Amino acid sequence: MDLGITGKTALVMSAGGGLGGAIAMALAREGAKVAVSDRSEEALAQTVAKIRAAGGTASGYVADLGQIDSLDHMVEAVKRDLGAPDILVNNSGGPAPSGAAGVAAQTWRSQFEAMVLSLMHLTDLVLPDMRAKGWGRIVTSTSSGVIAPIANLGVSNTLRAALLGWSKTLANEVAADGVCVNVVLPGRIGTDRIRALDEARAHRESRSLDAIVTQSIATIPVGRYGTPEEYGDTVAFLASERASFINGSVIRVDGGMIPSI
């Protein structure tokens, strides 16, 4: 299937590895020119090198979602080098594990700016060009915790949930201009982040890592963790011409793990 995004410019945030890196690779395979952004210059270089080695087009841009002012300069650089983004993938790193109670106000504030406000601001930076062209895709990656809160991820569950209401509202506002806005929820995808969370749980519960992973897999009907490539392919489809009638949706990539309908 031709996804119809050859030559489109895609901006992927937090793409130095993990889910963001897999998304960038998937978009590049479909012919998009990928602007890869991350706060780690070394991680960025690795993702860009992988994409180029596979025959794709990619450029790296250092930006920290915790420093909102830096995003304006990054978007201008992307426009100059690759053209105004047709596709934006809002993806941010996760906060440290914690409960919902007893979190310092400054932590809530700083994480809100990095995980929510920065993505809203970034979207506002690229939307005018998308609307003017009559075509655009905005895909925001959150967490399964926005539907079924995950124990000991109180900050993540709370702040990522805000992105659902924002995304749905935005989808209704820009659909008539040819811009589709959707949210993707990863379940247990085999990334360094998930391994770190599993290790933290094993330490907290004085159990082995293998026991934690086995218990987690037992909650997934397909019987395994997902792969970053599977997640990246899903986002690439939502970012494509073929997904032009999918708007304001929340797509689960979880192997059936989330128990609700």
Side-chain angles (χ1 to χ4, degrees):
M1 179 187 295
D2 179 6
L3 295 187
I5 57 174
T6 298
K8 300 280 190 189
T9 298
L11 172 56
V12 184
M13 303 305 296
S14 300
L19 297 181
I23 292 166
M25 180 65 77
L27 290 166
R29 277 200 307 268
E30 296 300 327
K33 300 176 293 182
V34 183
V36 181
S37 182
D38 199 277
R39 64 183 179 182
S40 168
E41 188 171 357
E42 180 181 357
L44 266 183
Q46 292 176 357
T47 298
V48 170
K50 288 178 183 178
I51 291 173
R52 291 177 177 173
T57 300
S59 295
Y61 301 86
V62 176
D64 186 345
L65 288 171
Q67 303 294 326
I68 294 177
D69 291 343
S70 70
L71 301 179
D72 297 70
H73 301 295
M74 179 200 65
V75 170
E76 287 304 315
V78 173
K79 288 182 179 181
R80 181 187 65 239
D81 298 341
L82 301 176
D86 304 287
I87 297 163
L88 171 64
V89 179
N90 283 321
N91 178 51
S92 68
S98 74
V103 177
Q106 180 55 40
T107 298
W108 284 115
R109 185 177 298 111
S110 63
Q111 290 297 334
F112 175 78
E113 290 183 355
M115 297 172 60
V116 181
L117 186 58
S118 60
L119 301 184
M120 294 175 177
H121 178 65
L122 180 59
T123 300
D124 283 339
L125 292 176
V126 304
L127 261 177
D129 286 308
M130 291 182 180
R131 299 177 90 169
K133 289 183 287 189
W135 199 97
R137 299 287 183 267
I138 298 167
V139 183
T140 299
S141 179
T142 58
S143 164
S144 63
V146 303
I147 293 179
I150 302 170
N152 207 44
L153 287 183
V155 174
S156 177
N157 296 337
T158 303
L159 297 183
R160 293 193 194 280
L163 292 168
L164 268 67
W166 166 77
S167 184
K168 181 64 173 179
T169 304
L170 182 64
N172 293 339
E173 293 177 0
V174 301
D177 297 317
V179 180
C180 296
V181 183
N182 293 289
V183 171
V184 185
L185 309 182
R188 306 292 291 183
I189 309 294
T191 62
D192 290 342
R193 163 76 172 171
I194 290 298
R195 181 176 178 83
L197 291 175
D198 284 345
E199 289 175 344
R201 182 182 173 191
H203 177 74
R204 191 169 64 250
E205 298 179 5
S206 299
R207 299 167 62 196
S208 71
L209 178 61
D210 285 345
I212 294 298
V213 172
T214 297
Q215 183 177 353
S216 293
I217 288 176
T219 69
I220 306 172
V222 300
R224 62 177 175 84
Y225 283 4
T227 68
E229 291 74 22
E230 289 171 319
Y231 192 76
D233 288 343
T234 302
V235 174
F237 177 76
L238 287 175
S240 76
E241 180 64 33
R242 304 286 80 81
S244 58
F245 204 58
I246 303 176
N247 186 52
S249 294
V250 178
I251 307 299
R252 308 174 184 193
V253 186
D254 68 340
M257 178 189 74
I258 299 172
S260 64
I261 294 174

